[in-house]
Amino acid sequence: MTTLHPDQHAAGRLAGLVPDPGAPRPWDPVTGDGTLVDDAYGRAPLVLGDRSFGSVTDTVCGYVEKGPGRWWMPTFLISAHVAALVPLMVGYLIITGVGVWGLNNRIDWAWDITNFVFWIGIGHAGTLISAILCLLKQKWRTSINRSAEAMTIFAVICAGLFPGIHVGRVWMAWMLFPIPNANGIWPNFRSPLLWDVFAVSTYFTVSALFWYMGMIPDFATLRDRAALRMLQQGGPVPWSARLRAYAFGLLALGWRFSQRHWQRYEKAYLMLAGVSTPLVLSVHSIVSFDFATSILPGWHTTIFPPYFVAGAIFGGFAMVLFLLIPSRELFPGMKDFITLRHLENMAKIILVTGMMVGFAYSMEFFIAWYGANRYELDVFKNRATGPYAWAYWTMISCNVISPQVFWVRACRQSPLVIFLVSLAVTVGMWFERFVIIVSSLAQAFLPAQWGMFYPTPVDILTFVGSCGTFLTLYLLFMRFLPMFAMSEIKNVMPQANPHAGHDHH
Amino acid sequence: MSTPHANAMNGNVYATEGGAALYGMMAEFDTPADLTHAAEKVRDAGYADWDVYSPFPVHGMDDAMGNPPTKLPLVVAAIGLSGAGLGMLLQWWVTSVDYRIVVQGKPYDAWQPWVPVLFEIGVLFTAFTALLGMLAFNKLPMWHHPLMKKERFLKVSDDRFVIAIEAADPKFDPQKTRDLLAAAGGKHIELVEE
């Protein structure tokens, strides 16, 4: 290769060997923004724009200090109004009773549990990126982990809403937890529904701890910048800088970037990644036990735990891409951190997990036939040809067929195509849960039990409200918290290597 | 600003010209490579009460500083496993002692259904211990520190690299420490007031 590898370019510029180009890197028809190189000798650069450490800090802190731009406030207001549907609909539900939903005696789990499983699944990509890719030393995770972890937490908040209100008498929901009470009643520790309570609440807590711990150094950076501004400002200090200095100062806990602290911090981070990895696998496995341990045909299968986990990662990555692709257009400079290579890597994960999910769909049919269980075979025949066939084929087209475009290089490198596929996958994954839950209940053992489920406006608006809640929380995150793990991004830049300047790494 | 106090080892009292007690001396470096080489020099000079400050954990810095491995993993393992044991105890007591109800005709003391909750409680204890233990070992939260009063030090969180040697170190000597930091390539060497 005659041209310099981008890593060498950045290292050379810092050493004064290569002149500063000044202008942004020109678009290359083969390598796109410069990251789509198929160079066996090196890896694609993780940060573009020949950035110094200082310019990473300036850009990422700039999103918090200057705000994301004019689009933010209208978007926030709209999504906050949509989110307001949740208290309205839930309030109406509590005052009136679960009869306001379309549930009936045959189909007693429908949109509520579909939405629960949908949202809890969305969360899984964040933990996969922050924990599993951390253990696998995948350095490209550093620019997407913070926002994906945020999505995990917001998705679990949305998920937690549904089982809470679906118990009917919401004011008794505290009995889900083993709290000593005057009635002397304890929860049943042999029930998967109770395991779910523990799995989801642990998942939320551990994700929040992981997220907060990752942000401590970045809070300290924001604190120091605000403090410097207060020290250097000649005239009156703007209230926003003062507020940032105190708020981020409080949250940073006095972090001062000491190496003796970093040593324990990195060890603690690794241990959190180590326990989050089995945790994330356990959460959706336990969610699948809610179904798999019942005797209902269509639910009672041993393939559910791995199938649900693969589906959760699939749907979660789709949501990450669905939010990050517009973000990188809206925020100046974000394309330097989330490069085309990042998008391509995630598109490949979508393809792999989509194939796993497709394999699980076909294996369910194979076992229904091979297992010679008459009821199970009928349930699956009904799924593909019965009254819910439209939902089933929507699921198949969105989840199995649409990701196949990623076999084509041009498609998995095009942000627009990836965006459209991730939208399709998000829709498809909602339908997957709907198909599993509702179509199995709609035609159980006896024809006398058969019936259809029709959602009421309350069902629909509660789900729409949960989407608004998710988006509102994400918009607040983008506005007020560091969107990128600055210390981690700096650590994977070529000039962070203490041996930079030598020929070998 | 506190009154000057004596160094525990050599009995010297260090103060700035303004009369304030001395916390130590800080020097700045430009790159992780410079910082690593300087840290090796400070380590070899035999200092104990000193630290390196960098915007991200520099690879190999623990060796360059001679830091012993942290005991945090032992604490986390002990508390995490105790948490899992408590989870087991809670489920055993509830299911087979205090609130015995027949569920699917299974024995009251079958341990297999307790595994998921046992695991989740163990993870919960582990995660809290990892975060809180890290903070406790680091003596955080501590919202004040002499170094944070230095304007130059506030740039560490951006792109500067700093070594600070405390006046409490037995080998600290205003002139020799300054010479060492200068020889190691340190710039903007400053005294830090307590």
Side-chain angles (χ1 to χ4, degrees), chain A residues 175-179 185-198, chain B residues 86-99 101 103-104 108 110-118 120-121:
Chain A
M175 290 197 82
L176 291 166
F177 296 94
I179 298 168
I185 294 172
W186 289 100
N188 173 16
F189 280 107
R190 298 161 188 185
S191 163
L193 298 178
L194 183 84
W195 303 345
D196 220 15
V197 172
F198 276 84
Chain B
L86 276 177
M88 189 73 157
L89 199 63
L90 168 77
Q91 295 182 80
W92 166 79
W93 182 75
V94 166
T95 316
S96 15
V97 179
D98 191 53
Y99 195 62
I101 44 171
V103 176
Q104 296 171 341
Y108 292 121
W111 58 270
Q112 292 88 343
W114 301 339
V115 171
V117 172
L118 165 103
E120 303 296 338
I121 296 180

Side-chain angles (χ1 to χ4, degrees), chain B residues 7 19 23 35 62 65 73 84 91 128 134 142 149 159 163:
Chain B
N7 183 306
Y23 166 78
L35 184 76
D62 286 321
M65 285 177 71
Q91 295 182 80
F128 270 107
M134 182 274 288
M142 185 165 100
K149 293 183 214 153
D159 61 351
I163 289 181

Side-chain angles (χ1 to χ4, degrees), chain A residues 138-286:
Chain A
Q138 294 291 308
K139 288 182 175 176
W140 59 277
R141 68 181 268 288
T142 54
S143 61
I144 46 172
N145 67 339
R146 177 66 44 76
S147 38
E149 285 165 27
M151 284 180 218
T152 295
I153 290 163
F154 306 149
V156 179
I157 290 173
C158 292
L161 168 75
F162 288 99
I165 54 176
H166 124 114
V167 296
R169 284 181 283 176
V170 181
W171 49 96
M172 305 294 274
W174 60 272
M175 290 197 82
L176 291 166
F177 296 94
I179 298 168
N181 57 75
N183 299 326
I185 294 172
W186 289 100
N188 173 16
F189 280 107
R190 298 161 188 185
S191 163
L193 298 178
L194 183 84
W195 303 345
D196 220 15
V197 172
F198 276 84
V200 172
S201 49
T202 302
Y203 186 47
F204 176 77
T205 314
V206 172
S207 302
L209 292 180
F210 206 3
W211 191 53
Y212 176 67
M213 183 172 154
M215 280 195 290
I216 290 174
D218 294 341
F219 287 147
T221 302
L222 284 159
R223 168 201 69 196
D224 288 356
R225 283 170 64 93
L228 273 172
R229 194 148 166 215
M230 288 167 72
L231 286 171
Q232 289 165 353
Q233 185 99 4
V237 182
W239 66 270
S240 56
R242 275 210 303 262
L243 181 66
R244 277 199 304 275
Y246 287 108
F248 289 125
L250 207 59
L251 289 167
L253 305 175
W255 187 259
R256 51 180 190 272
F257 298 88
S258 137
Q259 174 62 31
R260 293 175 202 274
H261 291 184
W262 276 126
Q263 184 198 20
R264 299 178 190 115
Y265 178 91
E266 284 200 294
K267 194 63 94 181
Y269 198 88
L270 196 65
M271 286 188 289
L272 273 178
V275 291
S276 297
T277 300
L279 175 67
V280 66
L281 301 180
S282 84
V283 172
H284 229 55
S285 298
I286 290 175

Side-chain angles (χ1 to χ4, degrees), chain A residues 123-135:
Chain A
H124 280 54
T127 320
L128 184 96
I129 291 168
S130 55
I132 299 182
L133 296 188
C134 172
L135 295 183

